[in-house]
Structures are given as C-alpha cells and as structure tokens.
Amino acid sequence: ALSLAERRRSALAAAVAEADRLLERLRHLCGAERAAGARLREEVEDVRVAQQEARSEEAVASNARRLRVACREQAEGVRETLEEAEELVRAAEAERRAHEVALLALRAERGAKL
C-alpha cells in the first residue's frame, strides 16, 4: 500500500501534468487565433482587390458591407477566445503554482521525517 505522502505526491504530479496539458492546449488555441487573424487579413485583402476591380458603386458598397460584417464577427470571436484563453492561463498557472508549493511542502515534510 502506498503511503499517504506517496499518494499525495502522485496526485499532485498528476495535477501538474494536467495543468501542463491545459497550458499546451491554450498555446494551441492562441496559435489557432493567430491563424484566424492571418486568414482575416487575407480576406480583407481579397475584398480590397475585389473592390478595386469592381466597376459599379453597388458592387463596391456590397463588398464593403460584407467586409464590415466579417470583420465584426471575426473580431468578436477572437476577442471571446482570447478572453477565455487568458482566464484558463491564469487558472492553470495558479493551479500549477499551488501544486508546486504542495510538492515542495511534501518534500520538506519527507526530509524532516528522515
């Protein structure tokens, strides 16, 4: 049977690994958001080119409306995702710090018993 300290150490190590997994997931989400931003810039450029090529004011106005709507939608999605990612990063970092402190305390306790 595992001692209480070994079980705690194992549980804390698992929690630190989970916090690391969450941080990696957040890094992936941030990368996806950067890619979405690049796609948005490409779409903006595509619309600009289409506007320059359009011969009628109606086509230019229609493209501008679509661009404004797409930009608003994309910006809101990016803003929401970044807010969620920031919250998750803060929570994961706090959890990781707490687990590291607990691991240090367990190691100190173990060292004091030796």
Side-chain angles (χ1 to χ4, degrees):
L2 294 176
S3 71
L4 178 60
E6 289 171 331
R7 287 194 304 267
R8 282 183 182 166
R9 191 168 28 262
S10 176
L12 288 171
V16 169
E18 176 64 11
D20 285 341
R21 187 191 68 75
L22 287 172
L23 286 171
E24 186 57 36
R25 184 167 176 246
L26 290 171
R27 286 185 192 104
H28 173 73
L29 284 173
C30 290
E33 285 306 317
R34 281 192 288 277
R39 285 192 303 275
L40 178 59
R41 285 188 293 278
E42 289 173 6
E43 288 177 20
V44 167
E45 186 57 29
D46 289 348
V47 171
R48 283 187 186 137
V49 169
Q51 286 177 334
Q52 291 170 354
E53 294 172 351
R55 295 185 186 243
S56 72
E57 288 185 27
E58 183 62 37
V60 171
S62 175
N63 287 336
R65 284 189 298 273
R66 282 190 305 209
L67 174 61
R68 280 192 297 273
V69 169
C71 287
R72 255 186 250 118
E73 290 171 354
Q74 186 71 30
E76 184 59 31
V78 168
R79 194 170 21 258
E80 289 172 1
T81 301
L82 288 177
E83 287 170 1
E84 292 170 7
E86 287 170 352
E87 288 175 24
L88 287 172
V89 164
R90 283 191 297 274
E93 287 174 347
E95 185 175 341
R96 182 181 182 150
R97 284 190 300 273
H99 292 307
E100 288 173 347
V101 167
L103 279 172
L104 288 173
L106 281 174
R107 288 181 185 141
E109 181 181 321
R110 192 172 109 210
K113 289 180 180 178
L114 294 178

